[in-house]
Amino acid sequence: MKIGEKVQWNELLTGGVIEDPGNSIDYKTGSWRIERPIWNKEACINCMFCWVYCPDSSIKVDKDGNMAGINYDFCKGCGICVKECPKPGALAMVLEADIEKKGMDVVFKETFGGK
Amino acid sequence: MGKKVALDGNAAAAHAIRQINPDVIAAFPITPSTQIPMTVSSFIADGLMDTELVTVESEHSAMSACVGAAAAGGRVMTATAAQGLALMWEILYIASSMRLPMVTVIAARALNAPLNIHGDHSDVMGARDAGWIQLFCEDAQEVYDSIIQAIKISENKDVLTPVMVVMDGFNTTHSVEVWEMEEDERVKEFIGEYEPKYPLLDVSRKITYGAWAPPSEYFEHKVNQLTGIIRARPVVKKVGEEFGKVFGRSYDCFELYKLDDAEYAIVMMGSAAGTAKDVVDVLREDGVKAGLLKIRMFRPFPAEEIKEALGNVKVVATLDRVIPAGAYGSPLFNEVRSALYDAPKRPMVIDYIYGLGGRDIQPKHFKEVYENLQRIAKTGKIEKMLDFINIRGKWGK
Amino acid sequence: MAFLNDLAKRGERFAPGHRLCPGCGQSIIVRALLNITDYEIVIANATGCLEVCSGLFPYTSWCVPWIHSAFENAASTIAGAEAMYRVWKRKGRTDKDIKFVALASDGGTYDIGLQALSGAMERWHDFLYLCIDNQAYENTGVQRSSASPFGANTTTTPVGKVKRGKEQRRKDIMSIVEGHHIPYAAQASLHNWRDLMNKIKRALDTKGPTYINVLQPCCTGWGFPPDMTVEVARIAVETCAWPIYEVVDGKVKINYKPKKKLPVEEWFKMQRRFAHMLKPENKDLLGRAQELVDEHWEWLLKREAAGL
Ligand code: SF4
Ligand code: SF4
């Protein structure tokens, strides 16, 4: 199915249906974010509470069903994952602006300490 | 071979539905269409058809369930009238916008208030721009034949647009007439199988229906939708001809009655056309060049053909069975007059309203209309652009 | 926690890229619905936040067949689809086992869609009606619904110089649903994902009409920070403002009883819509709100104890 601003009326599908299930992945909501959650793999216990509560399906999952990071293409920075994470030091909210200013490594260290 | 039966319009509709044996019917009873779901229910109860009948709690839900069923993928029908159609109104647009084939039989009836359960076209005319094809019938035979054709028209892959088959409440729904019922097998063969284009139930495809379209998208969708109903024009004609070949009764978008050399013509729809034809015959015997144009397909409106058919007439009267409060001209009047605007000879057109809430229209009334048309032709003057037939009290100056 | 890991492995059927507010719990509920089983599911979605945010042309977040028709007819739309499914099954057009779900918010359920819901339950369609209850017409800008609690400050029950928020108690939709004697009805909260998922699974596995009412705290309409969605739901349950329970064969089973029932004030404190209730001059309102919560909670306890 053709999509986008340039699609003419006669290129639409009959009845205005959409044939591409889940094509909203082409619309990145990550740009809405002011704060972002960052994840410390070392501390994580893979309980997947963050996954079950994330409203934007933005917790990445590895083949074993374990936590594998955050999908910043879509994460809107709501902070629910951080709030609901039971393990101190596994997830934290930081300002996007801080990351821009100081770089991820510095912010990570400041937040979680360690390496 | 078909067989002659003596049954009323509702029974004609019910038998057509039985022979079509749609996958799903969702219906709610309302006078004067009640006998349709009732009769269909008894057919199902007796095992004569195996449609899933959804006995909904309102017409709003009837049309909603029809939309759900048609989108799921399959043949869907319903029947209603008046307030019922009005209650469906919101969802009528959704059915047509989603391009879901289905057939609704309408027993055309007045709208409240005051309460009236009898025939007129207030309900259907209220839905005339809902994106549905509208076929008006004169008698039980036409009802039966048109419902069968409507399935084929609606499901035509260029059309994919819902169809209303309209008969006049009581005049047709409750009048017993002799008509010809075809054999079940031959009807089945005529309508063929239906392959839905985007069935929800094909879970491998995961179709999304009814996403919302912001200002950047909506307009294109509506124009796209229009193509279906516009393409119905030749399809209605073609299916009408095919039907004629198979069953011996052909149909077009309209019927011309002694219109070839007519100077005075009435344009109308529905059951009263029969009476009008009788009057034309009588007038013809007296040498009056009277004619009749009975419109069968009101949507899409066959403007070009009508321009051609009426182009040589001197004066035209349109007879509407609805009172479009505050409009300049009744629906049929406006469509016909607009179609004639570009005709080389451009006949004069006047507007009549008749038959509201089941008020009868008799031969003498048609005669008066034709007399008025002759007077206008002679004097070149129209005294009243709009008049009401058979009301107490005088309208206008 | 192997349970969640196993679920997470299966992949999502509600794609990101939807436009729900940051922190909106609607998608938490939808993901629970689509993740807990791998049944084929066909959805009819009523007009509302979820619908406009998940199906915005030319995008869809749905990886299951999905239809939106209008505001008040999710139940009758799914009824039609389910009726067609029976035909497909009977005529051998599909060999799939498909479940049917109507999704609507409180507006489309308690109010404008109540008739269609009632009809579809009474006709015994085989479907789950999942009400995502955010206690107001959030999509049109936080107007009161019959699900809005007593005292709530909404845009049609605004707190002003003489008026003090919604003057009526919320409608007990569960009792209305129960009156249809359907095989399974439940109330749930998104914070308790295990309970919510169990209920969804049970409903999908039950033949006939089933109903689940899920509290969906709306950060935008209720006025709390987006990271608090789950916590606000949790405290609703801890205060018994939102009891989680089931009605099976006419019998109540309360699924969670707080060890120490918190005063409803604790829930109100978290939300802007109840801010006025905490002012000294509105003590009477707070008292009344607590009475309403207690009355309902005790009624449930009594029913459960009596096996009713
Ligand atoms: S909630 Fe925290 S501990 Fe659990 S999987 Fe997510 S990051 Fe890891
Ligand atoms: S911040 Fe919100 S959207 Fe982002 S990953 Fe966490 S829960 Fe998901």
mmCIF file of all heavy atoms in Angstrom, chain B residues 23 50 52 55 57-58 60-61 64-65 73 90 94 98 206-210 212 221, chain C residues 52 55-57 60 63 65-66 68-69 72-73 76-77 80 86 88 90-91 93 115 123:
data_model
loop_
_atom_site.group_PDB
_atom_site.id
_atom_site.type_symbol
_atom_site.label_atom_id
_atom_site.label_comp_id
_atom_site.label_asym_id
_atom_site.label_seq_id
_atom_site.Cartn_x
_atom_site.Cartn_y
_atom_site.Cartn_z
ATOM 1 N N ASP B 23 -25.745 -14.762 4.151
ATOM 2 C CA ASP B 23 -25.049 -15.337 5.308
ATOM 3 C C ASP B 23 -25.617 -14.780 6.607
ATOM 4 O O ASP B 23 -25.875 -15.516 7.545
ATOM 5 C CB ASP B 23 -23.562 -15.030 5.220
ATOM 6 C CG ASP B 23 -22.920 -15.697 4.015
ATOM 7 O OD1 ASP B 23 -23.214 -16.885 3.795
ATOM 8 O OD2 ASP B 23 -22.160 -15.036 3.294
ATOM 9 N N ASP B 50 -30.752 -20.963 5.742
ATOM 10 C CA ASP B 50 -29.922 -21.144 6.942
ATOM 11 C C ASP B 50 -29.137 -19.888 7.300
ATOM 12 O O ASP B 50 -28.058 -19.961 7.885
ATOM 13 C CB ASP B 50 -29.009 -22.366 6.802
ATOM 14 C CG ASP B 50 -28.015 -22.219 5.660
ATOM 15 O OD1 ASP B 50 -28.017 -21.167 4.983
ATOM 16 O OD2 ASP B 50 -27.233 -23.157 5.446
ATOM 17 N N GLU B 52 -27.827 -16.701 9.293
ATOM 18 C CA GLU B 52 -27.708 -16.325 10.705
ATOM 19 C C GLU B 52 -28.541 -15.066 10.906
ATOM 20 O O GLU B 52 -28.202 -14.008 10.370
ATOM 21 C CB GLU B 52 -26.251 -16.003 11.066
ATOM 22 C CG GLU B 52 -25.375 -17.194 11.324
ATOM 23 C CD GLU B 52 -25.736 -17.956 12.589
ATOM 24 O OE1 GLU B 52 -26.249 -17.349 13.561
ATOM 25 O OE2 GLU B 52 -25.515 -19.179 12.602
ATOM 26 N N THR B 55 -31.184 -10.912 15.775
ATOM 27 C CA THR B 55 -32.400 -10.176 16.131
ATOM 28 C C THR B 55 -32.019 -9.047 17.084
ATOM 29 O O THR B 55 -32.204 -9.132 18.290
ATOM 30 C CB THR B 55 -33.410 -11.131 16.798
ATOM 31 O OG1 THR B 55 -32.703 -11.872 17.801
ATOM 32 C CG2 THR B 55 -34.014 -12.086 15.807
ATOM 33 N N GLU B 57 -31.509 -5.231 18.889
ATOM 34 C CA GLU B 57 -32.404 -4.496 19.778
ATOM 35 C C GLU B 57 -32.768 -3.115 19.229
ATOM 36 O O GLU B 57 -33.497 -2.366 19.880
ATOM 37 C CB GLU B 57 -31.777 -4.387 21.177
ATOM 38 C CG GLU B 57 -30.712 -3.317 21.371
ATOM 39 C CD GLU B 57 -29.470 -3.468 20.515
ATOM 40 O OE1 GLU B 57 -29.117 -4.595 20.147
ATOM 41 O OE2 GLU B 57 -28.853 -2.437 20.204
ATOM 42 N N SER B 58 -32.285 -2.778 18.040
ATOM 43 C CA SER B 58 -32.627 -1.496 17.429
ATOM 44 C C SER B 58 -32.132 -1.506 15.990
ATOM 45 O O SER B 58 -31.319 -2.333 15.610
ATOM 46 C CB SER B 58 -31.943 -0.333 18.154
ATOM 47 O OG SER B 58 -30.549 -0.343 17.849
ATOM 48 N N HIS B 60 -30.342 0.828 14.804
ATOM 49 C CA HIS B 60 -28.950 1.291 14.837
ATOM 50 C C HIS B 60 -28.016 0.089 14.938
ATOM 51 O O HIS B 60 -27.016 -0.003 14.223
ATOM 52 C CB HIS B 60 -28.735 2.243 16.016
ATOM 53 C CG HIS B 60 -27.447 2.990 15.935
ATOM 54 N ND1 HIS B 60 -26.251 2.429 16.297
ATOM 55 C CD2 HIS B 60 -27.167 4.238 15.492
ATOM 56 C CE1 HIS B 60 -25.276 3.309 16.095
ATOM 57 N NE2 HIS B 60 -25.805 4.419 15.609
ATOM 58 N N SER B 61 -28.401 -0.825 15.795
ATOM 59 C CA SER B 61 -27.601 -2.034 15.923
ATOM 60 C C SER B 61 -27.754 -2.938 14.701
ATOM 61 O O SER B 61 -26.827 -3.677 14.359
ATOM 62 C CB SER B 61 -27.974 -2.793 17.194
ATOM 63 O OG SER B 61 -27.340 -2.195 18.316
ATOM 64 N N SER B 64 -25.368 -1.581 12.307
ATOM 65 C CA SER B 64 -24.018 -1.787 12.845
ATOM 66 C C SER B 64 -23.593 -3.248 12.701
ATOM 67 O O SER B 64 -22.453 -3.535 12.328
ATOM 68 C CB SER B 64 -23.973 -1.388 14.319
ATOM 69 O OG SER B 64 -24.277 -0.026 14.463
ATOM 70 N N ALA B 65 -24.508 -4.139 13.008
ATOM 71 C CA ALA B 65 -24.193 -5.560 12.877
ATOM 72 C C ALA B 65 -24.011 -5.931 11.405
ATOM 73 O O ALA B 65 -23.165 -6.764 11.065
ATOM 74 C CB ALA B 65 -25.285 -6.415 13.511
ATOM 75 N N GLY B 73 -16.968 -10.489 6.203
ATOM 76 C CA GLY B 73 -16.852 -11.093 4.888
ATOM 77 C C GLY B 73 -17.975 -12.036 4.544
ATOM 78 O O GLY B 73 -17.926 -13.206 4.897
ATOM 79 N N GLU B 90 -26.739 7.165 10.764
ATOM 80 C CA GLU B 90 -25.316 7.328 11.048
ATOM 81 C C GLU B 90 -24.480 6.206 10.424
ATOM 82 O O GLU B 90 -23.407 6.440 9.873
ATOM 83 C CB GLU B 90 -25.100 7.321 12.580
ATOM 84 C CG GLU B 90 -23.663 7.491 12.977
ATOM 85 C CD GLU B 90 -23.390 7.149 14.437
ATOM 86 O OE1 GLU B 90 -24.208 6.446 15.058
ATOM 87 O OE2 GLU B 90 -22.347 7.568 14.945
ATOM 88 N N ILE B 94 -21.379 4.756 7.047
ATOM 89 C CA ILE B 94 -20.208 3.936 7.339
ATOM 90 C C ILE B 94 -20.179 2.721 6.416
ATOM 91 O O ILE B 94 -19.145 2.368 5.860
ATOM 92 C CB ILE B 94 -20.183 3.569 8.834
ATOM 93 C CG1 ILE B 94 -19.983 4.860 9.647
ATOM 94 C CG2 ILE B 94 -19.100 2.545 9.141
ATOM 95 C CD1 ILE B 94 -20.162 4.723 11.138
ATOM 96 N N MET B 98 -17.163 2.291 3.773
ATOM 97 C CA MET B 98 -16.285 1.121 3.836
ATOM 98 C C MET B 98 -16.454 0.241 2.603
ATOM 99 O O MET B 98 -15.824 -0.808 2.504
ATOM 100 C CB MET B 98 -16.560 0.318 5.108
ATOM 101 C CG MET B 98 -16.089 1.019 6.371
ATOM 102 S SD MET B 98 -16.392 0.003 7.815
ATOM 103 C CE MET B 98 -15.669 1.045 9.089
ATOM 104 N N LYS B 206 -5.212 -9.587 8.395
ATOM 105 C CA LYS B 206 -5.217 -8.561 9.457
ATOM 106 C C LYS B 206 -5.517 -7.154 8.940
ATOM 107 O O LYS B 206 -4.704 -6.235 9.022
ATOM 108 C CB LYS B 206 -3.887 -8.585 10.217
ATOM 109 C CG LYS B 206 -3.549 -9.993 10.705
ATOM 110 C CD LYS B 206 -2.279 -10.042 11.483
ATOM 111 C CE LYS B 206 -1.728 -11.449 11.656
ATOM 112 N NZ LYS B 206 -2.671 -12.536 11.852
ATOM 113 N N ILE B 207 -6.697 -7.031 8.376
ATOM 114 C CA ILE B 207 -7.127 -5.765 7.768
ATOM 115 C C ILE B 207 -7.574 -4.777 8.849
ATOM 116 O O ILE B 207 -8.223 -5.160 9.826
ATOM 117 C CB ILE B 207 -8.308 -6.030 6.806
ATOM 118 C CG1 ILE B 207 -7.904 -6.994 5.686
ATOM 119 C CG2 ILE B 207 -8.870 -4.730 6.247
ATOM 120 C CD1 ILE B 207 -6.863 -6.490 4.737
ATOM 121 N N THR B 208 -7.240 -3.525 8.676
ATOM 122 C CA THR B 208 -7.770 -2.449 9.517
ATOM 123 C C THR B 208 -8.869 -1.723 8.749
ATOM 124 O O THR B 208 -8.654 -1.259 7.630
ATOM 125 C CB THR B 208 -6.648 -1.459 9.897
ATOM 126 O OG1 THR B 208 -5.847 -2.017 10.944
ATOM 127 C CG2 THR B 208 -7.234 -0.136 10.407
ATOM 128 N N TYR B 209 -10.048 -1.665 9.351
ATOM 129 C CA TYR B 209 -11.180 -0.932 8.776
ATOM 130 C C TYR B 209 -11.494 0.278 9.638
ATOM 131 O O TYR B 209 -11.597 0.151 10.861
ATOM 132 C CB TYR B 209 -12.442 -1.795 8.809
ATOM 133 C CG TYR B 209 -12.730 -2.625 7.589
ATOM 134 C CD1 TYR B 209 -12.366 -3.961 7.548
ATOM 135 C CD2 TYR B 209 -13.410 -2.089 6.501
ATOM 136 C CE1 TYR B 209 -12.667 -4.756 6.435
ATOM 137 C CE2 TYR B 209 -13.709 -2.873 5.393
ATOM 138 C CZ TYR B 209 -13.337 -4.197 5.365
ATOM 139 O OH TYR B 209 -13.637 -4.965 4.278
ATOM 140 N N GLY B 210 -11.686 1.422 9.030
ATOM 141 C CA GLY B 210 -12.265 2.545 9.763
ATOM 142 C C GLY B 210 -11.275 3.366 10.554
ATOM 143 O O GLY B 210 -11.627 3.935 11.588
ATOM 144 N N TRP B 212 -9.128 6.670 11.314
ATOM 145 C CA TRP B 212 -9.620 8.042 11.123
ATOM 146 C C TRP B 212 -8.711 8.802 10.177
ATOM 147 O O TRP B 212 -7.502 8.604 10.151
ATOM 148 C CB TRP B 212 -9.899 8.747 12.428
ATOM 149 C CG TRP B 212 -8.798 9.489 13.128
ATOM 150 C CD1 TRP B 212 -7.861 8.953 13.957
ATOM 151 C CD2 TRP B 212 -8.549 10.900 13.111
ATOM 152 N NE1 TRP B 212 -7.055 9.938 14.451
ATOM 153 C CE2 TRP B 212 -7.446 11.138 13.949
ATOM 154 C CE3 TRP B 212 -9.163 11.985 12.460
ATOM 155 C CZ2 TRP B 212 -6.935 12.426 14.162
ATOM 156 C CZ3 TRP B 212 -8.652 13.258 12.672
ATOM 157 C CH2 TRP B 212 -7.558 13.463 13.511
ATOM 158 N N HIS B 221 -10.356 10.176 0.425
ATOM 159 C CA HIS B 221 -11.171 8.986 0.686
ATOM 160 C C HIS B 221 -12.582 9.150 0.139
ATOM 161 O O HIS B 221 -13.156 8.229 -0.435
ATOM 162 C CB HIS B 221 -11.237 8.692 2.186
ATOM 163 C CG HIS B 221 -10.022 8.002 2.693
ATOM 164 N ND1 HIS B 221 -9.773 6.679 2.438
ATOM 165 C CD2 HIS B 221 -8.961 8.446 3.394
ATOM 166 C CE1 HIS B 221 -8.616 6.340 2.979
ATOM 167 N NE2 HIS B 221 -8.100 7.397 3.562
ATOM 168 N N VAL C 52 -8.733 6.574 17.916
ATOM 169 C CA VAL C 52 -8.139 7.636 17.086
ATOM 170 C C VAL C 52 -6.614 7.587 17.139
ATOM 171 O O VAL C 52 -5.941 7.981 16.191
ATOM 172 C CB VAL C 52 -8.618 9.062 17.459
ATOM 173 C CG1 VAL C 52 -10.106 9.204 17.245
ATOM 174 C CG2 VAL C 52 -8.239 9.468 18.864
ATOM 175 N N GLY C 55 -5.437 4.009 15.042
ATOM 176 C CA GLY C 55 -5.770 3.855 13.629
ATOM 177 C C GLY C 55 -5.921 5.242 13.039
ATOM 178 O O GLY C 55 -7.021 5.769 12.950
ATOM 179 N N LEU C 56 -4.812 5.829 12.696
ATOM 180 C CA LEU C 56 -4.810 7.190 12.171
ATOM 181 C C LEU C 56 -4.228 7.095 10.775
ATOM 182 O O LEU C 56 -3.046 6.857 10.597
ATOM 183 C CB LEU C 56 -3.966 8.098 13.073
ATOM 184 C CG LEU C 56 -3.698 9.525 12.611
ATOM 185 C CD1 LEU C 56 -4.993 10.235 12.251
ATOM 186 C CD2 LEU C 56 -2.983 10.321 13.693
ATOM 187 N N PHE C 57 -5.092 7.227 9.806
ATOM 188 C CA PHE C 57 -4.704 6.987 8.437
ATOM 189 C C PHE C 57 -3.407 7.719 8.065
ATOM 190 O O PHE C 57 -3.262 8.879 8.415
ATOM 191 C CB PHE C 57 -5.842 7.420 7.500
ATOM 192 C CG PHE C 57 -5.840 6.620 6.251
ATOM 193 C CD1 PHE C 57 -6.453 5.383 6.198
ATOM 194 C CD2 PHE C 57 -5.154 7.070 5.143
ATOM 195 C CE1 PHE C 57 -6.396 4.622 5.048
ATOM 196 C CE2 PHE C 57 -5.098 6.307 3.998
ATOM 197 C CZ PHE C 57 -5.715 5.090 3.943
ATOM 198 N N THR C 60 -1.750 2.046 11.092
ATOM 199 C CA THR C 60 -2.487 1.262 12.065
ATOM 200 C C THR C 60 -1.486 0.602 13.002
ATOM 201 O O THR C 60 -0.403 0.210 12.569
ATOM 202 C CB THR C 60 -3.372 0.183 11.398
ATOM 203 O OG1 THR C 60 -4.029 -0.563 12.427
ATOM 204 C CG2 THR C 60 -2.573 -0.789 10.535
ATOM 205 N N CYS C 63 -2.105 -5.432 14.758
ATOM 206 C CA CYS C 63 -1.612 -6.589 14.013
ATOM 207 C C CYS C 63 -2.622 -7.725 14.144
ATOM 208 O O CYS C 63 -2.268 -8.905 14.135
ATOM 209 C CB CYS C 63 -0.246 -7.015 14.526
ATOM 210 S SG CYS C 63 0.944 -5.667 14.497
ATOM 211 N N PRO C 65 -7.021 -8.349 12.910
ATOM 212 C CA PRO C 65 -8.109 -7.700 12.169
ATOM 213 C C PRO C 65 -8.867 -6.756 13.107
ATOM 214 O O PRO C 65 -9.181 -7.137 14.249
ATOM 215 C CB PRO C 65 -8.993 -8.870 11.739
ATOM 216 C CG PRO C 65 -8.094 -10.071 11.784
ATOM 217 C CD PRO C 65 -7.121 -9.816 12.879
ATOM 218 N N TRP C 66 -9.160 -5.580 12.614
ATOM 219 C CA TRP C 66 -9.671 -4.523 13.499
ATOM 220 C C TRP C 66 -10.640 -3.648 12.726
ATOM 221 O O TRP C 66 -10.399 -3.314 11.575
ATOM 222 C CB TRP C 66 -8.485 -3.703 14.006
ATOM 223 C CG TRP C 66 -8.780 -2.572 14.941
ATOM 224 C CD1 TRP C 66 -8.853 -2.638 16.292
ATOM 225 C CD2 TRP C 66 -8.954 -1.173 14.608
ATOM 226 N NE1 TRP C 66 -9.072 -1.376 16.819
ATOM 227 C CE2 TRP C 66 -9.139 -0.469 15.816
ATOM 228 C CE3 TRP C 66 -8.980 -0.457 13.404
ATOM 229 C CZ2 TRP C 66 -9.351 0.918 15.847
ATOM 230 C CZ3 TRP C 66 -9.192 0.916 13.441
ATOM 231 C CH2 TRP C 66 -9.376 1.588 14.665
ATOM 232 N N HIS C 68 -13.182 -0.131 13.254
ATOM 233 C CA HIS C 68 -13.837 0.935 13.997
ATOM 234 C C HIS C 68 -15.002 1.417 13.153
ATOM 235 O O HIS C 68 -14.839 1.714 11.975
ATOM 236 C CB HIS C 68 -12.878 2.095 14.264
ATOM 237 C CG HIS C 68 -13.609 3.383 14.536
ATOM 238 N ND1 HIS C 68 -13.648 4.420 13.641
ATOM 239 C CD2 HIS C 68 -14.388 3.754 15.580
ATOM 240 C CE1 HIS C 68 -14.405 5.392 14.134
ATOM 241 N NE2 HIS C 68 -14.860 5.013 15.303
ATOM 242 N N SER C 69 -16.184 1.483 13.754
ATOM 243 C CA SER C 69 -17.348 1.964 13.013
ATOM 244 C C SER C 69 -17.824 3.275 13.617
ATOM 245 O O SER C 69 -17.688 4.335 13.015
ATOM 246 C CB SER C 69 -18.423 0.882 13.030
ATOM 247 O OG SER C 69 -19.668 1.353 12.632
ATOM 248 N N GLU C 72 -21.083 4.291 19.519
ATOM 249 C CA GLU C 72 -22.007 3.538 20.359
ATOM 250 C C GLU C 72 -22.244 2.103 19.921
ATOM 251 O O GLU C 72 -23.122 1.446 20.450
ATOM 252 C CB GLU C 72 -23.345 4.282 20.417
ATOM 253 C CG GLU C 72 -24.147 4.321 19.106
ATOM 254 C CD GLU C 72 -23.642 5.339 18.104
ATOM 255 O OE1 GLU C 72 -22.437 5.286 17.780
ATOM 256 O OE2 GLU C 72 -24.437 6.158 17.626
ATOM 257 N N ASN C 73 -21.487 1.632 18.944
ATOM 258 C CA ASN C 73 -21.887 0.349 18.371
ATOM 259 C C ASN C 73 -20.792 -0.712 18.330
ATOM 260 O O ASN C 73 -20.851 -1.612 17.503
ATOM 261 C CB ASN C 73 -22.437 0.579 16.956
ATOM 262 C CG ASN C 73 -21.365 1.081 16.003
ATOM 263 O OD1 ASN C 73 -20.242 1.338 16.413
ATOM 264 N ND2 ASN C 73 -21.714 1.217 14.748
ATOM 265 N N SER C 76 -22.520 -4.099 18.772
ATOM 266 C CA SER C 76 -23.301 -4.628 17.650
ATOM 267 C C SER C 76 -22.425 -4.895 16.436
ATOM 268 O O SER C 76 -22.732 -5.780 15.634
ATOM 269 C CB SER C 76 -24.486 -3.729 17.293
ATOM 270 O OG SER C 76 -24.213 -2.397 17.559
ATOM 271 N N THR C 77 -21.334 -4.162 16.318
ATOM 272 C CA THR C 77 -20.415 -4.426 15.203
ATOM 273 C C THR C 77 -19.754 -5.789 15.389
ATOM 274 O O THR C 77 -19.695 -6.597 14.458
ATOM 275 C CB THR C 77 -19.336 -3.321 15.124
ATOM 276 O OG1 THR C 77 -19.986 -2.052 15.060
ATOM 277 C CG2 THR C 77 -18.454 -3.501 13.914
ATOM 278 N N GLY C 80 -22.129 -8.631 14.695
ATOM 279 C CA GLY C 80 -22.269 -8.951 13.267
ATOM 280 C C GLY C 80 -21.107 -9.802 12.777
ATOM 281 O O GLY C 80 -21.294 -10.779 12.047
ATOM 282 N N ARG C 86 -19.785 -17.576 12.534
ATOM 283 C CA ARG C 86 -20.536 -18.831 12.672
ATOM 284 C C ARG C 86 -20.841 -19.432 11.295
ATOM 285 O O ARG C 86 -20.785 -20.637 11.106
ATOM 286 C CB ARG C 86 -21.847 -18.585 13.422
ATOM 287 C CG ARG C 86 -21.663 -18.558 14.929
ATOM 288 C CD ARG C 86 -23.000 -18.361 15.614
ATOM 289 N NE ARG C 86 -23.075 -17.025 16.184
ATOM 290 C CZ ARG C 86 -24.202 -16.380 16.468
ATOM 291 N NH1 ARG C 86 -25.379 -16.936 16.190
ATOM 292 N NH2 ARG C 86 -24.159 -15.187 17.004
ATOM 293 N N TRP C 88 -19.065 -18.850 8.536
ATOM 294 C CA TRP C 88 -17.791 -19.323 7.963
ATOM 295 C C TRP C 88 -17.430 -20.700 8.509
ATOM 296 O O TRP C 88 -16.979 -21.565 7.780
ATOM 297 C CB TRP C 88 -16.659 -18.330 8.288
ATOM 298 C CG TRP C 88 -16.567 -17.179 7.342
ATOM 299 C CD1 TRP C 88 -17.600 -16.412 6.894
ATOM 300 C CD2 TRP C 88 -15.372 -16.658 6.717
ATOM 301 N NE1 TRP C 88 -17.130 -15.432 6.048
ATOM 302 C CE2 TRP C 88 -15.775 -15.557 5.926
ATOM 303 C CE3 TRP C 88 -14.029 -16.985 6.769
ATOM 304 C CZ2 TRP C 88 -14.853 -14.806 5.183
ATOM 305 C CZ3 TRP C 88 -13.112 -16.240 6.040
ATOM 306 C CH2 TRP C 88 -13.534 -15.172 5.247
ATOM 307 N N ARG C 90 -19.515 -22.952 9.816
ATOM 308 C CA ARG C 90 -20.493 -23.931 9.352
ATOM 309 C C ARG C 90 -20.234 -24.324 7.903
ATOM 310 O O ARG C 90 -20.373 -25.477 7.523
ATOM 311 C CB ARG C 90 -21.891 -23.327 9.535
ATOM 312 C CG ARG C 90 -23.027 -24.144 9.027
ATOM 313 C CD ARG C 90 -24.353 -23.835 9.751
ATOM 314 N NE ARG C 90 -24.681 -22.436 9.934
ATOM 315 C CZ ARG C 90 -25.219 -21.657 8.993
ATOM 316 N NH1 ARG C 90 -25.473 -22.139 7.797
ATOM 317 N NH2 ARG C 90 -25.516 -20.393 9.258
ATOM 318 N N LYS C 91 -19.852 -23.323 7.091
ATOM 319 C CA LYS C 91 -19.671 -23.607 5.673
ATOM 320 C C LYS C 91 -18.227 -23.983 5.329
ATOM 321 O O LYS C 91 -17.879 -24.095 4.165
ATOM 322 C CB LYS C 91 -20.122 -22.402 4.851
ATOM 323 C CG LYS C 91 -21.612 -22.113 5.026
ATOM 324 C CD LYS C 91 -22.150 -21.117 4.026
ATOM 325 C CE LYS C 91 -23.666 -20.984 4.185
ATOM 326 N NZ LYS C 91 -24.209 -19.830 3.470
ATOM 327 N N ARG C 93 -15.517 -22.236 5.588
ATOM 328 C CA ARG C 93 -14.673 -21.197 4.985
ATOM 329 C C ARG C 93 -13.446 -20.903 5.846
ATOM 330 O O ARG C 93 -12.521 -20.255 5.404
ATOM 331 C CB ARG C 93 -15.470 -19.898 4.800
ATOM 332 C CG ARG C 93 -16.459 -19.954 3.653
ATOM 333 C CD ARG C 93 -17.159 -18.597 3.465
ATOM 334 N NE ARG C 93 -18.529 -18.820 3.025
ATOM 335 C CZ ARG C 93 -19.503 -17.916 3.120
ATOM 336 N NH1 ARG C 93 -19.256 -16.733 3.644
ATOM 337 N NH2 ARG C 93 -20.702 -18.202 2.695
ATOM 338 N N GLN C 115 -26.988 0.376 25.179
ATOM 339 C CA GLN C 115 -28.048 -0.398 24.529
ATOM 340 C C GLN C 115 -27.473 -1.513 23.658
ATOM 341 O O GLN C 115 -27.920 -2.660 23.713
ATOM 342 C CB GLN C 115 -28.909 0.550 23.699
ATOM 343 C CG GLN C 115 -29.967 -0.165 22.899
ATOM 344 C CD GLN C 115 -30.788 0.805 22.080
ATOM 345 O OE1 GLN C 115 -31.125 1.894 22.546
ATOM 346 N NE2 GLN C 115 -31.111 0.433 20.875
ATOM 347 N N ARG C 123 -28.309 -11.509 23.497
ATOM 348 C CA ARG C 123 -28.375 -12.436 22.352
ATOM 349 C C ARG C 123 -27.306 -13.519 22.429
ATOM 350 O O ARG C 123 -27.230 -14.388 21.583
ATOM 351 C CB ARG C 123 -28.247 -11.670 21.039
ATOM 352 C CG ARG C 123 -29.407 -10.775 20.718
ATOM 353 C CD ARG C 123 -29.335 -10.264 19.287
ATOM 354 N NE ARG C 123 -28.080 -9.589 18.989
ATOM 355 C CZ ARG C 123 -27.831 -8.303 19.219
ATOM 356 N NH1 ARG C 123 -28.759 -7.539 19.741
ATOM 357 N NH2 ARG C 123 -26.664 -7.776 18.914
#
